[in-house]
Amino acid sequence: MLDRGEVREIASIEGGEHHFVSMYLNVDPLLNRGGDYDIHFKNMMKEAAETLDKQVYRKVRDDIGRIKEYVASHRQLFRKGLAIISSAPRDFWRVYHLAVPVRNEIVIDTMPYTKPLLEALDNYERYAVALVEKEDARLFVMHLGEIVEYEEVHTGGVPGKHKAEGDFALAQIAVTPHMAHTGKSRLGVTGYREHHRERHIAEHVKLHLKDVLEKLNTFLERERINRLIVGGSDEATQAFRSMLHQTAQEKIIGTMRATMFAAPDEVLRDAEALVADYERREEERTVERLVTQASKGQQAVAGLEAVLEALRERKVMKLVMLKDLRAAGYACGTCDFVSAERVDRCLSCQGPMKALASVAEHAGEMALQQGATVEIVSESTRLLEAGGIGAFLRY
């Protein structure tokens, strides 16, 4: 999984006399339906060979060869974005298969280029999953379709369970005047002792949950996570939620039933259902905000031609488009001019125009190359009515 600490550590490496080759490739199948990433990759490699200082190229030739070999032989692992950072003299090699598209670029320098990785961490939501029970807790991070367990919390010393194995007990029994005066309940001394044992268990459980709570708050702050899923038995999740501060309460997107012994892939599967539902709601809110702002002319546009115009002017901050949007268009072979309308000569440089089978894919690629984010919406009647595509603008 992409980890902020690891990326920062890589970014701090000084190459000295050695160079790093940092290569980022957009392999998103929705934006490369014809396998266009092969063309982009070959063009990047060719440009690097032609423009680099000859002495520098000789130093990184092994890195470039290794990257070429990897791209050719590991296509089955591709997701949406591919990042490779290599430095043969330092025996350094990192590969990241990302669940988000990245801008096509290659940077050769004496330091690793990690800006796109940090942007992926900042721009795409990460989720914490907290599994809680009476004595134990487990903390996970979900990001870009992967899950990593970060910490286990075990609070020893909890007395023997009164309920069946695995049950979560936090209920407290009220002490009646009769019990306080006589030391007995209506069930006798045994009942009163049972009451004390229940209270003792409840206090230990509360202390455990407070410990989990402290670690969770530190964890959320350290990892910059704003979304939380709580899992466990119904009683455990309810008790834990009741102890959360309002700020943490607002981070919760859902709860799920889970055992403390669940494997990470089981936790991921159950949590992803909650995340998918949450992200669908977020998609709807994004589309509604986009269409509303576009209708008012407030730093947003909707419709293919308006989006292409914004891309030509490099104003797009975030592109939003339907997954199955199909539209033909035309692009200049010399400059960045693109149009949904048939044009024989480029209106910018008078160069020849070529037909595009899908101008939407081209728009997505342009947005990424300009440093914008791209959000693909599965389905939305509202967005379809607005032309199937829109964009939030930088200014």
Side-chain angles (χ1 to χ4, degrees):
M1 177 187 284
L2 197 57
D3 177 83
R4 187 178 298 276
E6 180 186 353
V7 174
R8 283 179 172 168
E9 187 178 332
I10 293 172
S12 67
I13 297 173
E14 291 284 352
E17 62 180 18
H18 302 306
H19 285 72
F20 288 83
V21 178
S22 305
M23 191 280 301
Y24 295 87
L25 184 64
N26 169 25
V27 293
D28 187 343
L30 290 176
L31 301 175
N32 292 276
R33 295 183 193 275
D36 290 343
Y37 65 81
D38 264 333
I39 298 171
H40 298 309
F41 178 69
K42 288 173 183 176
N43 287 341
M44 281 198 299
M45 295 296 108
K46 181 181 177 183
E47 185 177 353
E50 292 175 349
T51 59
L52 266 181
D53 178 87
K54 286 183 172 54
Q55 288 186 342
V56 174
Y57 185 76
R58 280 196 292 269
K59 290 181 179 180
V60 300
R61 188 160 44 198
D62 289 346
D63 296 298
I64 289 177
R66 189 177 180 186
I67 290 172
K68 285 181 177 179
E69 183 182 344
Y70 187 91
V71 171
S73 59
H74 290 79
R75 299 173 191 274
Q76 73 277 10
L77 300 178
F78 291 176
R79 300 174 75 186
K80 293 184 179 181
L82 174 65
I84 301 177
I85 303 176
S86 176
S87 179
R90 296 186 65 110
D91 193 27
F92 186 93
W93 174 259
R94 294 287 190 280
V95 178
Y96 299 96
H97 293 279
L98 306 174
V100 294
V102 293
R103 179 194 318 186
N104 293 322
E105 56 187 331
I106 182 168
V107 176
I108 298 172
D109 201 351
T110 55
M111 295 178 64
Y113 177 62
T114 59
K115 185 170 178 278
L117 296 179
L118 290 170
E119 287 176 345
L121 285 167
D122 289 336
N123 294 336
Y124 296 90
E125 199 78 70
R126 297 205 299 165
Y127 300 85
V129 181
L131 298 188
V132 291
E133 278 302 342
K134 183 166 153 179
E135 299 180 42
D136 303 286
R138 298 166 70 191
L139 301 179
F140 300 82
V141 169
M142 286 176 58
H143 187 230
L144 304 179
E146 297 179 286
I147 191 165
V148 168
E149 184 167 359
Y150 269 61
E151 192 168 2
E152 288 189 24
V153 183
H154 178 76
T155 304
V158 176
K161 299 179 180 68
H162 173 58
K163 292 190 173 186
E165 182 68 27
D167 280 0
F168 183 95
L170 191 56
Q172 292 196 31
I173 302 173
V175 180
T176 67
H178 172 73
M179 293 165 64
H181 180 67
T182 65
K184 299 180 181 180
S185 73
R186 288 190 173 87
L187 298 176
V189 175
T190 301
Y192 186 53
R193 286 176 181 168
E194 193 61 48
H195 156 71
H196 269 289
R197 198 155 72 92
E198 289 283 351
R199 283 190 64 179
H200 195 36
I201 291 172
E203 288 303 318
H204 275 282
V205 172
K206 277 191 174 182
L207 288 174
H208 163 63
L209 293 183
K210 285 181 180 178
D211 186 29
V212 175
L213 206 56
E214 288 177 8
K215 286 182 168 59
L216 177 65
N217 288 333
T218 301
F219 178 67
L220 294 176
E221 183 177 350
R222 184 183 72 227
E223 299 297 325
R224 298 185 185 179
I225 296 175
N226 294 314
R227 297 290 175 261
L228 172 64
I229 294 169
V230 181
S233 65
D234 291 341
E235 295 87 352
T237 55
Q238 185 177 355
F240 188 66
R241 289 193 66 165
S242 70
M243 296 176 68
L244 287 173
H245 187 274
Q246 181 64 27
T247 304
Q249 287 273 10
E250 292 171 355
K251 295 179 187 286
I252 295 177
I253 67 165
T255 59
M256 63 186 193
R257 291 187 63 84
T259 67
M260 196 52 57
F261 305 105
D265 59 342
E266 293 179 80
V267 178
L268 176 64
R269 182 195 62 218
D270 293 341
E272 277 189 323
L274 292 173
V275 169
D277 186 54
Y278 167 75
E279 291 185 343
R280 275 194 296 271
R281 297 195 303 270
E282 286 298 294
E283 278 185 1
E284 291 171 4
R285 281 192 280 267
T286 296
V287 169
E288 187 60 38
R289 185 162 59 91
L290 173 69
V291 174
T292 300
Q293 287 185 210
S295 67
K296 296 179 179 178
Q298 296 177 342
Q299 291 185 279
V301 293
L304 185 56
E305 194 55 56
V307 168
L308 293 178
E309 182 179 353
L311 285 167
R312 291 195 295 266
E313 297 174 359
R314 307 182 74 85
K315 290 182 178 180
V316 173
M317 179 175 66
K318 180 177 182 177
L319 182 70
V320 181
M321 64 180 183
L322 284 172
K323 177 181 177 180
D324 297 320
L325 180 63
R326 296 285 185 275
Y330 301 85
C332 177
T334 306
C335 70
D336 290 336
F337 185 83
V338 60
S339 173
E341 303 295 330
R342 180 180 178 85
V343 182
D344 294 325
R345 308 296 297 180
C346 174
L347 300 183
S348 179
C349 71
Q350 298 303 308
M353 298 289 286
K354 62 178 181 179
L356 298 172
S358 176
V359 72
E361 290 175 30
H362 191 80
E365 183 61 35
M366 284 181 70
L368 288 171
Q369 292 303 108
Q370 293 175 17
T373 57
V374 177
E375 180 169 344
I376 308 295
V377 177
S378 301
E379 56 182 40
S380 170
T381 302
R382 192 92 161 93
L383 185 57
L384 181 62
E385 291 171 348
I389 190 169
F392 292 101
L393 307 181
R394 300 181 193 278
Y395 54 87

